Amino acid sequence: MTAKPAPIYDRVAFIGLGLIASSMALAIRQFGLAREITGHAKSAETRATALEIGLCDKVFDTAAQAVDGADLVVLCVPVGAMGEIAAEIAPRLKAGACVSDVGSVKQAVIAAVAPHIPADVAFVPAHPLAGTEHSGPRSGFATLFQNRWCLLTPTETSTPEATSRLRALWEGMGANVDEMDAAHHDLVLAVVSHTPHLIAYTMVGVADHLRRVSNSEVIKYSASGFRDFTRIAASDPTMWRDVFLTNKDAVLDILGRFTEELFVLQRAIRMGDGDELHAYFTRTRAIRRGIIEAGQDTAAPDFGRVAAKKDA
Amino acid sequence: MTAKPAPIYDRVAFIGLGLIASSMALAIRQFGLAREITGHAKSAETRATALEIGLCDKVFDTAAQAVDGADLVVLCVPVGAMGEIAAEIAPRLKAGACVSDVGSVKQAVIAAVAPHIPADVAFVPAHPLAGTEHSGPRSGFATLFQNRWCLLTPTETSTPEATSRLRALWEGMGANVDEMDAAHHDLVLAVVSHTPHLIAYTMVGVADHLRRVSNSEVIKYSASGFRDFTRIAASDPTMWRDVFLTNKDAVLDILGRFTEELFVLQRAIRMGDGDELHAYFTRTRAIRRGIIEAGQDTAAPDFGRVAAKKDA
């Protein structure tokens, strides 16, 4: 048996027990990063499941009870629910504790949560860039964060100590950690995640509405392109509703650029300008190579082909 | 050793030796579906590679030589090059032979190829819905078509015998085969493949142009959405240029619908209409479930995570 390092926190409390919280709980246990895990979820069914599968040592009916005595409180609820939870737990937070979150939008979370944080508590916003299209307490797995980025966006209510301790937790769960300004985070995420999700949702919606092509055809022939869109578009509706409502400015900015760019390509198609199309597609191929070189994916042919294996 | 069935064709000739042709050649060999494989590619380097790795028994410098004596000739060149190749090989086609292709667009291929087909030769257009983001003679693998669809779009120049023999070949390579009208094929593919590809190319292009977000940030933080787009947008530029130029009407139709739909969601974001967003995202999730139930993908959490494994 490998010796485990000393726990980073004594007690960690999760508010919300979905994909991210359950993956964190499993990773924290596996790598011995905390002595005790408590939790709360709004739904009684989720609370029962969390106890049943052993995600938490203790599960409480209210968020306020769950944070009692915790060194680290992680808000894992949809972005739109963070403010209310912060107000509820604030009076019960331990002096010297740290509050963090895992929301996909940072400026809105900071605006909603920071005003409630007591002077003797640190608030260090975080966003792990990891997920799957599944949700709920049973969807978590301990390796979700392995070699994925976790972005910290420290604020005036963060302390260097609290930030570096939280960084150690994320690194302990296998993540690479970067720090950046919350506004920059929101713009970067609008580009690499939020807008692509909206586009995938839209394309899947178009297919669903089209009466000349049946849904069974769309489903049968989804290889080569559409399948990747449906995977993205299967993500949790509540989480994504809140992302778009709270990162509105950056998403609308990127959507505007996307539409302009799409019209340029659409015009090239209409005018039969093959050279422009070819040059564009050649440029985008290079970005893909960059991602493979950065180690965020493999070069193995995939295209959503989970079932089939390469026959070397 | 398992007994192999009798070969379906005596000699199969491939014109163009990229991902699809090389995968077909490997599958034909593995499953014993033809006695001999010949081939031609425009590039001398590709021809040398094909000989070196044993894709073909014989490789010829011209398409006309390669088709000499072949029972089945498969055109595996970009859609825009099909007509010229058909004109070149027509005089050398064996009486009773079958010409097929693997183009992603069917009406344009039929219009370009059918007029050149001699009266004693059958032409059966085909389109395997399988691929990866890689190209070239080394990118093929024998299992590429396993449990994937291959669509046949028979024309007036097809005979029932030639169509059923080609169907047997595709089924022998592991594909499921459907027949449909070429115009319907082009519309279905515009929805499930061509428009999603154009959108992915566009989104990757937007990221590349954005100066406030560096390309290295885009690459580092590409998890959760953008990575799937880059994989799609890394596909062969020449093939895709030709797809958009030759399936113009259907792609422009679907793009128009996509833009309308995107504007509805964009407006909901601008107006803060969370209910509309939530309802939309809930509907698209159901389509994803349909694809999993249809066996075209697995329910395992993936999101492009080829490297990490689920920790059960």
Side-chain angles (χ1 to χ4, degrees), chain A residues 85-233:
Chain A
I85 292 282
E88 183 192 338
I89 63 171
R92 299 287 280 270
L93 291 169
K94 188 169 97 169
C98 175
V99 172
S100 187
D101 75 299
V102 296
S104 306
V105 177
K106 297 272 61 96
Q107 291 177 104
V109 168
I110 292 168
V113 171
H116 300 290
I117 301 294
D120 55 2
V121 170
F123 173 44
V124 185
H127 178 207
L129 307 190
T132 73
E133 66 275 27
H134 299 293
S135 43
R138 293 186 192 274
S139 60
F141 50 103
T143 56
L144 178 62
F145 310 111
Q146 288 289 333
N147 202 29
R148 298 297 155 193
W149 287 94
C150 180
L151 303 181
L152 306 183
T153 62
T155 69
E156 288 167 12
T157 57
S158 311
T159 63
E161 296 71 29
T163 302
S164 79
R165 206 166 158 199
L166 187 68
R167 172 189 277 268
L169 178 75
W170 278 105
E171 289 174 347
M173 293 189 289
N176 306 311
V177 177
D178 258 358
E179 289 178 33
M180 63 172 67
D181 170 70
H184 189 67
H185 166 279
D186 289 355
L187 178 63
V188 170
L189 267 289
V191 175
V192 299
S193 175
H194 305 168
T195 308
H197 269 80
L198 193 77
I199 288 167
Y201 277 122
T202 305
M203 190 63 222
V204 172
V206 168
D208 188 38
H209 288 167
L210 205 70
R211 293 297 162 226
R212 282 175 299 154
V213 177
S214 71
N215 267 341
S216 69
E217 284 177 315
V218 167
I219 288 167
K220 272 167 80 177
Y221 308 133
S222 66
S224 62
F226 193 69
R227 225 170 358 157
D228 286 331
F229 280 62
T230 65
R231 180 160 48 229
I232 300 175

Side-chain angles (χ1 to χ4, degrees), chain B residues 102-118:
Chain B
V102 296
S104 306
V105 177
K106 298 272 63 96
Q107 291 176 104
V109 168
I110 291 168
V113 171
H116 300 290
I117 301 294

Side-chain angles (χ1 to χ4, degrees), chain B residues 172-194:
Chain B
M173 292 189 291
N176 306 312
V177 176
D178 258 358
E179 289 178 33
M180 62 173 66
D181 171 71
H184 189 67
H185 166 278
D186 289 355
L187 178 64
V188 170
L189 267 288
V191 175
V192 299
S193 175
H194 305 168

Side-chain angles (χ1 to χ4, degrees), chain A residues 30 134 143 178 184 192 209 212 217 220-221 226-227 234 248 253 261 270 285 296 299 309 311, chain B residues 30 134 143 178 184 192 209 212 217 220-221 227 234 248 253 261 270 285 296 299 309 311:
Chain A
Q30 176 162 325
H134 299 293
T143 56
D178 258 358
H184 189 67
V192 299
H209 288 167
R212 282 175 299 154
E217 284 177 315
K220 272 167 80 177
Y221 308 133
F226 193 69
R227 225 170 358 157
K248 179 163 137 173
D253 173 12
E261 201 82 359
R270 203 182 294 279
R285 204 173 210 195
Q296 287 293 303
K309 278 183 192 157
D311 188 17
Chain B
Q30 178 163 325
H134 299 293
T143 55
D178 258 358
H184 189 67
V192 299
H209 288 166
R212 283 174 298 154
E217 284 177 316
K220 272 167 79 174
Y221 308 134
R227 225 170 358 156
K248 179 162 135 172
D253 173 12
E261 201 82 359
R270 203 182 295 279
R285 205 174 209 193
Q296 287 293 302
K309 279 183 192 157
D311 189 16

Side-chain angles (χ1 to χ4, degrees), chain B residues 12 38 55 63 71 79 84 95 102 132 146-147 149 160 167 182 222 238 245 247 275 282 300 309:
Chain B
V12 175
T38 63
L55 277 185
D71 307 283
V79 169
E84 199 180 324
V102 296
T132 73
Q146 290 287 334
N147 203 28
W149 286 95
R167 173 189 277 266
S222 67
T238 304
L245 295 180
N247 199 21
D275 291 344
T282 303
K309 279 183 192 157

Side-chain angles (χ1 to χ4, degrees), chain A residues 1-5 22-34 37 55 141-144 146 172-173, chain B residues 309-312:
Chain A
M1 215 181 125
T2 316
K4 284 181 176 177
S22 58
S23 295
M24 288 180 75
L26 292 170
I28 284 172
R29 264 188 218 290
Q30 176 162 325
F31 302 115
L33 302 170
I37 298 172
L55 277 185
F141 50 103
T143 56
L144 178 62
Q146 288 289 333
M173 293 189 289
Chain B
K309 279 183 192 157
K310 177 158 170 141
D311 189 16

